[in-house]
Amino acid sequence: MASMEKRLQKELQALQRDPPVGVKVDTDKLTSNLSEWTVNLTGAPGTLYEGENFVLHFKFGSRYPFDSPQVIFGGANIPVHPHVYSNGHICLSILTEDWSPALSVQSVCLSIVSMLSSCKEKKRPPDNAIYVKTCSKNPKKTRWWYHDDQV
Amino acid sequence: MGNCLNTPTADDISLLRGSDSQDGSETANLGPPPPYQESVPIYHPSPNVSRTVTQLTEEEQIKIAKRLGLIQHLPTGVHDGCCKKTKECVICMGEFILGDRLRYLPCMHSFHKDCIDDWLMRSFTCPSCMEPVDAALLTTYETNN
Ligand SMILES: [Zn+2]
Ligand SMILES: [Zn+2]
Ligand SMILES: [Zn+2]
């Protein structure tokens, strides 16, 4: 078994044993070598996204956890958020330049949940229209210009 | 576990082997490894960038040589089974087993040697605390000399 698969196996076990609030792995949609995951997120109570359901798609390369996974929102409900483009791409530095192999599916999900929770106004990134028209299908290929973290 | 186990003698060559050292076949490699492998080494001058030697710029080659040199200065050891220390390698999420080769970073975080060396070739930061390793290393040198 490849080291990427071994580690993902461990992550999956931990997430099923002890799932964080609002984060649920859709085990029916796991691929056999675990290279693609679907995770269901629920907006935290008391936030702008309370009760909303979102779907996150993870894609892992063979060099995971040395390379970051590709993570995008999918499904019918893409959160309206200043760091989430309408095509599901997420502007979050831990997914590219600030990635560390100590991060995991769980910590990525929790960062995204907390990014949603701290949002004060539901709106798309200012450059949404142009980004969605011109970006690569893989958000990891985007040279992100990280927006101000204060939002 | 598994691929993170390393024989005490299978040393830094594993680093040069790049991505091929990551599959499970590694544990069969007893004794000193042959100096060169047939497979083309893959280098990672920065995270998410993969190149073979011929694709590297001169600047990147120097960076890699320096990086290898710096990594050699970081202390290594063998896990002695002491339960007070860190129990798990955050990179492979495998438990440290008695006899595992470990590498210790100046910030006191420890990892399997193979796991952390692979990461350090891409990014000279501690995966656990994101502390840049080279800066910390230089400070250690200054206080020691
Ligand atoms: Zn942003
Ligand atoms: Zn390890
Ligand atoms: Zn550290």
Side-chain angles (χ1 to χ4, degrees), chain A residues 1-4 6-7 10-11 62-68 95-105 140, chain B residues 1-3 18-19 22-24 44 47-48 50 90-95 114-115 118-119 122 126-128 130:
Chain A
M1 204 192 281
S3 58
M4 157 262 199
K6 255 186 231 166
R7 188 179 131 150
K10 287 188 181 163
E11 290 197 45
S62 62
R63 298 290 293 154
Y64 180 80
F66 298 103
D67 284 345
S68 61
L95 296 178
T96 52
E97 59 197 49
D98 291 333
W99 170 256
S100 144
L103 295 169
S104 59
V105 175
K140 286 177 68 181
Chain B
M1 301 213 354
N3 68 299
S19 41
Q22 284 303 309
D23 51 49
H44 304 276
N48 296 327
S50 307
V90 294
I91 299 175
C92 63
M93 294 186 170
E95 237 174 272
D114 281 4
C115 293
D118 204 334
W119 173 250
R122 295 155 171 250
C126 170
S128 297
M130 304 306 274

Side-chain angles (χ1 to χ4, degrees), chain A residues 12 16 21 26 34 51 72 116-117 130 141:
Chain A
L12 183 61
Q16 286 180 303
V21 181
D26 189 338
L34 296 180
I72 55 174
L116 294 178
S117 298
I130 190 132
K141 296 218 169 82

